[in-house]
Amino acid sequence: MKFEDLGIIPPILRALKEKNYEEPTPIQAQAIPMVLKRNDLLGCAQTGTGKTAAFAVPIVQLVHRIESKEKGKPALRALIITPTRELAIQIGENLEAYSKHTIAKHAVIFGGVSQHPQVEKIKKGVHILVATPGRLLDLIDQGILRLDTIKLFVLDEADRMLDMGFIHDIRKILKLLPQKRQSLFFSATMPDNIEKLSKSILSNPKKVEVSPVSSTAETVQQLLYYTNRTSKKDLLLHILENPHMNQVLLFARTKRGADRIARNLSKKKIKAAAIHGDKSQNQRQKALKQFKEGSVRVLVATDIAARGIDIDKLQYVINYDIPNIAETYVHRIGRSGRAGEEGCAISICEPEENVYIKDIERLTRQRIKIINDHPFPQTDSPMTPQEKREWNMEKQRRKKEFFANRKKRNTRSRV
Ligand code: AMP
């Protein structure tokens, strides 16, 4: 299948060529013609499958086709809602690339930064708006934005939206949209509450589904190192001796942990930066930029901050800890081996985390390859009193997190 076979207009085909996209990914091949034919769409796909282009390309095309005839200030025609600022920025970057040779204009709005430049851009007129829910509602409340001219609506990462507590905001936004519109709905997972929400948004949708969350990307090699808690630091340095690992996304469970790992690596002259919720927007963008350019070798991230990071051809992911929720593992390793590229996910497991590996293998129905040949194998050596205290605190924290998540899940299933 070629992009030329999907009904895409020449200016966008040119832009895709300039982005070195050779052929459409499965979700693009399925979704693009459906959206161009003005169908509603229910897409079950996670990041890394090429889902952004699957909705952004046809939106740019529809806007270009329809709005080329219009004169005067552009009217807002498409709204894309996404949960995090990182995702919003990345969708904006994709729109920028795909719309390069078209008349389609877009803006990206998100909270945590001054609204002024965003408002200036909107006031000049845009056809496509990418927004996080909070900032969008804020600008609507201030009378700066209206949604009554929207013809295309995209809800991206719906499951994440609900996880982050955006359900009320989404309901408010839906009320402000015209009834007559085309809607696209994307989610990595489709539990009952998400399906119910999709039904309230879509009308007679076409469905596309690629790599459900339990199927890890086939191109990702998964490796597992068993070690002790105290040896993780040294084992990480040992793993990073591999000179091929020049761009590594490393996951840490906590914000403090992320900072500590980045600090330890920097002390050993390994260029590292941490991104997490306590970092300012500027700090996060700077770290991401340096990582993309190659001046930072290891980007240490918490799960929420890493969600939506879009790095072409990211090859290595390291799990410095094993997530206690198996789906999180699948999301993490989905960051490597994107769009058909090869990837490698390395997990570092301490004794208390062995049980999580079992959960993961059950979910993915795959055995992770164990690497025994390394200098820091797992032993049953007793913990020092300090380690024991830390571990007990960590256990308490995880227990709390587990019950909080369960409560959230129960609340959500009632939504
Ligand atoms: P997404 O799932 O939209 O986050 O895309 C994942 C990554 O794949 C991004 O870096 C895209 O730029 C890239 N990508 C998307 N579609 C293609 C394609 N058809 N060929 C090559 N790379 C692509």
Side-chain angles (χ1 to χ4, degrees):
M1 180 71 76
K2 289 193 184 125
F3 280 114
E4 283 78 359
D5 303 328
L6 305 180
I8 301 173
I9 51 175
I12 302 179
L13 287 175
R14 204 171 123 207
L16 294 172
K17 202 159 259 151
E18 285 163 8
K19 207 147 163 39
N20 293 324
Y21 289 4
E22 278 165 17
E23 53 180 51
T25 65
I27 192 158
Q28 292 162 3
Q30 292 175 65
I32 293 174
M34 289 173 182
V35 182
L36 289 176
K37 285 192 195 122
R38 311 308 306 259
N39 289 295
D40 276 12
L41 189 80
L42 177 62
C44 188
Q46 58 197 92
T47 2
T49 54
K51 78 171 158 70
T52 315
F55 64 78
V57 163
I59 286 179
V60 169
Q61 173 151 337
L62 290 169
V63 163
H64 180 75
R65 275 261 162 100
I66 300 163
E67 300 301 312
S68 295
K69 296 169 209 127
E70 301 292 323
K71 295 216 166 63
K73 192 174 142 186
L76 187 58
R77 296 298 183 205
L79 174 66
I80 301 165
I81 302 285
T82 193
T84 67
R85 25 188 177 186
E86 280 81 7
L87 274 167
I89 290 170
Q90 274 154 24
I91 295 171
E93 284 170 0
N94 281 317
L95 284 169
E96 182 76 42
Y98 310 143
S99 66
K100 210 164 151 191
H101 308 298
T102 71
I103 58 119
K105 287 192 166 49
H106 73 275
V108 182
I109 63 171
F110 47 83
V113 292
S114 153
Q115 69 174 47
H116 185 67
Q118 300 175 356
V119 172
E120 286 300 296
K121 185 133 192 217
I122 292 169
K123 280 189 173 157
K124 281 190 195 137
V126 291
H127 303 104
I128 307 168
L129 185 66
V130 186
T132 54
R135 176 59 55 99
L136 176 71
L137 287 169
D138 201 6
L139 296 190
I140 292 173
D141 282 348
Q142 294 175 44
I144 293 165
L145 256 175
R146 294 169 64 112
L147 302 183
D148 49 0
T149 52
I150 297 285
K151 292 185 185 299
L152 266 153
F153 171 62
V154 181
L155 188 68
D156 186 33
E157 306 247 345
D159 52 353
R160 196 67 179 173
M161 291 272 192
L162 296 207
D163 271 353
M164 292 172 76
F166 283 136
I167 184 67
H168 300 296
D169 286 353
I170 293 171
R171 292 227 173 95
K172 274 191 212 155
I173 294 165
L174 288 173
K175 280 198 192 124
L176 300 169
L177 288 169
Q179 285 287 328
K180 196 169 167 292
R181 58 166 200 260
Q182 183 181 5
S183 301
L184 319 177
F185 184 103
F186 289 88
S187 188
T189 55
M190 280 296 162
D192 289 349
N193 57 337
I194 297 289
E195 206 170 324
K196 209 165 145 196
L197 177 67
S198 77
K199 284 191 180 135
S200 72
I201 295 178
L202 302 169
S203 126
N204 206 7
K206 299 272 183 206
K207 289 190 184 137
V208 289
E209 188 171 342
V210 289
S211 347
V213 71
S214 57
S215 71
T216 41
E218 278 163 23
T219 49
V220 180
Q221 184 191 23
Q222 298 171 63
L223 305 175
L224 176 60
Y225 288 72
Y226 283 112
T227 191
N228 284 347
R229 189 179 173 77
T230 43
S231 309
K232 280 194 169 178
K233 241 183 7 213
D234 298 316
L235 179 55
L236 176 63
L237 294 174
H238 169 77
I239 292 170
L240 290 174
E241 278 168 17
N242 178 349
H244 296 297
M245 299 179 73
N246 51 15
Q247 198 183 44
V248 180
L249 178 61
L250 185 146
F251 284 93
R253 191 194 316 278
T254 63
K255 298 176 210 169
R256 269 178 53 205
D259 282 334
R260 198 175 46 231
I261 297 164
R263 245 190 343 262
N264 285 339
L265 289 173
S266 301
K267 270 190 213 150
K268 298 285 175 191
K269 306 263 176 298
I270 293 174
K271 295 233 165 66
I275 57 166
H276 52 66
D278 287 351
K279 300 270 181 186
S280 71
Q281 175 66 3
N282 280 348
Q283 285 172 318
R284 290 203 230 178
Q285 287 309 315
K286 189 174 159 212
L288 195 55
K289 186 160 171 271
Q290 290 176 328
F291 185 58
K292 283 184 178 180
E293 289 166 356
S295 57
V296 157
R297 183 177 167 206
V298 183
L299 186 67
V300 186
T302 55
D303 288 298
I304 297 239
R307 181 86 183 195
I309 293 179
D310 175 16
I311 301 136
D312 283 336
K313 301 188 181 98
L314 178 63
Q315 212 182 339
Y316 289 95
V317 161
I318 295 183
N319 294 309
Y320 194 78
D321 54 62
I322 311 299
N324 54 353
I325 298 170
E327 282 85 355
T328 305
Y329 174 87
V330 181
H331 282 304
R332 285 182 178 187
I333 77 160
R335 313 322 314 261
S336 75
R338 333 192 79 201
E341 294 296 326
E342 275 184 20
C344 178
I346 297 173
S347 297
I348 303 180
C349 177
E350 63 188 87
E352 287 74 14
E353 294 169 333
N354 292 359
V355 359
Y356 304 145
I357 295 289
K358 292 215 175 70
D359 277 353
I360 290 165
E361 292 186 332
R362 211 174 298 131
L363 176 75
T364 60
R365 284 182 232 105
Q366 273 178 39
R367 277 278 143 126
I368 309 176
K369 185 175 174 199
I370 301 170
I371 304 292
N372 288 313
D373 183 22
H374 68 87
F376 308 99
Q378 207 173 78
T379 61
D380 288 319
S381 63
M383 292 187 212
T384 63
Q386 172 62 20
E387 281 171 7
K388 211 166 192 167
R389 266 197 304 280
E390 276 179 16
W391 175 238
N392 279 335
M393 274 163 60
E394 176 66 15
K395 265 204 307 211
Q396 288 298 331
R397 213 190 59 71
R398 289 188 197 183
K399 204 162 140 189
K400 257 199 209 147
E401 185 186 273
F402 175 83
F403 284 111
N405 278 338
R406 196 164 74 174
K407 200 166 152 206
K408 228 187 320 172
R409 270 201 299 274
N410 289 343
T411 327
R412 265 191 279 134
S413 56
R414 274 185 254 120
V415 169

